[in-house]
Amino acid sequence: MDRILIRGGNVLCGNIHISGAKNAALPLMIAALLTDEPLTLTNMPRLADVSLLRKILRNQGADTTLAGKKAGSNPFAGDTVRIHAREITDTTAPYELVSRMRASFWVLGPLLARCHEARVSLPGGCAIGTRPVDFYLKALEAMGAEIGMDAGYVVARAPGGLKGGRIVFPKVSVGATHVALMAATLARGETVIENAAREPEVTDVAECLVKMGAQIGGIGTSTLTIQGVERLHGAEHPVLADRIETGTYAMAAAMTGGDVLLTGARADTLDAFIAVMDEAGVSISMEEGGMRVRRAAEAIRPVSVETRPYPGFPTDLQAQIMALMTRAAGTSTIRETIFENRFMHVQELARLGADITLNGDTALVHGVEGLTGAPVMATDLRASVSLVIAALVANGETELNRVYHLDRGFETLEKKLAAVGADIERVSG
Ligand code: EPZ
């Protein structure tokens, strides 16, 4: 298993190119199942999750081709992936694949909408929570689906196809919104989705569906209105820049007191994050070509943050801001309101010398003078990168194990950080 070694103390300076968003790329790839024409996605990130999803879609009968980069393009520019589900030959998504990448559960919506049946393994829980799917199933039932369970699989049928319905989500759910939205595009009649997720990745998928011929109103708001159509056609669509990668590298730069330009970043998807960075004494400004991040004040100032559905502070940046606050001049309060177990990084940060007190859904982070490198273990995607941020300023060497978590959501992280001065290397083994 690969490991990453980081020797702390270097200041990050230079340019980091932001890749396409994992959490937009995955649903966009799944949307290709809605049509028998090819969907071409550009600015695709090169991630383990994308490769695994290509395998799952091939399992369903879709052809997927990866066109490399144009000669001379930015080495970090995204790939082009063409997905052509000319015919869906298998409406089953097997446990051995779905359990490895829970977003593959989302094929349930398009398979049901297009083939009127689907047999998809329940994704199961993960390190950060139980991750139930009750909202997804209730939404599809509101569109006339018959849902049953069989040996850990959701067995769904829609004889004669789905029909429009009214869906009111009790809690904002990104995945359930994606699934309901995709299914509704081919349902007969009108579907209204209330309390829909407003994450930029949902907006990105909705805009792609419109290019494919879907009729969607209220994009970007919490009420989506969809008029079903007979069929969708192919399209070409660029994957949105990754706001979580942007926030992550911004905090890495701030942690080291550096000055970094995040090329390709979009500030308009990070308002809540930028406001918190301002409070922390981190200067963020938009320039030609990207987002400039510098540490304005001498020390990092402590903050009080609550994770919330978009446009609130993203839960996917919670572990990273906790790492940044371990070196703040004071005590920060971080409350996780989305997932019930998303503090797995606390113990690992403590191994590096962080002083964090947990009280239910709230962490008190008492800033310390310095951190010390140590062997630590990644537990989930975002927790693992919070350890990288802390290691960048820890005295001595930090060894990060189980880096496959990182590879799921951060394209060539060690190369991007090394290119701006980090003393970081990946050791195969
Ligand atoms: C998406 O997960 C993201 N994953 C997550 O990113 C992200 O943390 C999350 O949205 C919240 O923003 C992808 O986009 C691939 P939810 P999702 O449904 O859709 C509860 C990462 O690191 N809930 O919005 O699975 C659920 O338990 C990952 O990139 C139900 O109770 O999250 C949670 O408490 C981690 N019943 C809350 O809603 C349901 O049927 C929000 O979950 C569905 C969800």
Side-chain angles (χ1 to χ4, degrees), residues 11-363:
V11 175
L12 302 189
C13 286
N15 291 3
I16 297 179
H17 185 75
I18 298 300
S19 303
K22 167 180 85 78
N23 290 352
L26 298 178
L28 286 167
M29 292 167 73
I30 291 169
L33 293 176
L34 288 165
T35 175
D36 58 3
E37 295 184 11
L39 176 63
T40 300
L41 298 170
T42 57
N43 194 35
M44 280 288 286
R46 203 170 312 145
L47 299 169
D49 273 10
V50 168
S51 310
L52 177 57
L53 185 55
R54 287 183 62 209
K55 190 172 167 188
I56 292 168
L57 296 178
R58 278 200 294 274
N59 190 52
Q60 251 99 52
D63 291 328
T64 79
T65 46
L66 174 66
K69 301 181 195 319
K70 295 191 180 63
S73 63
N74 174 324
F76 295 120
D79 287 330
T80 295
V81 173
R82 182 176 179 276
I83 302 169
H84 192 181
R86 188 181 286 105
E87 193 195 338
I88 291 179
T89 55
D90 187 335
T91 56
T92 297
Y95 173 71
E96 59 273 12
L97 292 174
V98 176
S99 57
R100 287 168 54 192
M101 203 259 295
R102 59 178 301 104
S104 50
F105 179 74
W106 299 354
V107 300
L108 177 61
L111 290 178
L112 197 50
R114 184 166 164 205
C115 308
H116 306 166
E117 61 163 38
R119 182 180 159 76
V120 177
S121 166
L122 282 166
C126 73
I128 64 177
T130 51
R131 314 292 291 274
V133 293
D134 48 327
F135 300 166
Y136 299 69
L137 305 183
K138 287 198 181 68
L140 294 171
E141 282 174 337
M143 286 193 258
E146 295 160 12
I147 303 276
M149 295 298 202
D150 173 32
Y153 279 73
V154 171
V155 181
R157 296 178 59 249
L162 293 172
K163 57 187 192 323
R166 182 164 173 269
I167 297 159
V168 183
F169 285 126
K171 193 173 167 186
V172 169
S173 162
V174 169
T177 302
H178 279 310
V179 167
L181 173 61
M182 287 195 236
T185 59
L186 294 179
R188 274 190 325 284
E190 175 177 273
T191 299
V192 178
I193 303 173
E194 297 186 27
N195 202 22
R198 296 172 51 198
E199 269 64 8
E201 294 76 25
V202 172
T203 296
D204 201 36
V205 170
E207 288 168 351
C208 178
L209 290 168
V210 167
K211 286 183 190 171
M212 294 165 69
Q215 294 180 15
I216 305 170
I219 295 177
T221 76
S222 52
T223 300
L224 298 172
T225 304
I226 304 102
Q227 303 300 335
V229 295
E230 273 299 303
R231 59 188 299 279
L232 295 180
H233 51 72
E236 175 159 332
H237 185 79
V239 176
L240 171 77
D242 193 326
R243 61 194 170 102
I244 303 305
E245 191 190 25
T246 302
T248 299
Y249 287 127
M251 289 190 268
M255 186 67 148
T256 67
D259 180 341
V260 167
L261 180 66
L262 303 175
T263 57
R266 279 189 41 183
D268 62 336
T269 59
L270 282 163
D271 290 351
F273 166 73
I274 291 171
V276 170
M277 286 296 100
D278 184 47
E279 210 184 307
V282 177
S283 140
I284 291 188
S285 54
M286 284 316 287
E287 281 184 14
E288 177 65 27
M291 181 190 280
R292 167 85 49 197
V293 182
R294 266 188 291 259
R295 188 142 109 213
E298 203 31 50
I300 296 164
R301 294 196 290 260
V303 297
S304 177
V305 173
E306 274 195 5
T307 62
R308 290 282 172 209
Y310 193 85
F313 189 91
T315 176
D316 291 350
L317 288 176
Q318 180 258 104
Q320 297 92 314
I321 193 155
M322 187 180 289
L324 179 63
M325 289 301 134
T326 61
R327 297 275 291 106
T331 295
S332 300
T333 305
I334 298 175
R335 184 165 174 244
E336 171 58 56
T337 71
I338 308 290
F339 290 107
E340 69 268 28
N341 187 36
R342 202 168 197 174
F343 284 144
M344 304 281 280
H345 41 286
V346 170
Q347 291 319 317
E348 296 305 305
L349 287 169
R351 290 178 51 73
L352 299 174
D355 179 359
I356 303 168
T357 312
L358 278 185
N359 183 2
D361 64 2
T362 301

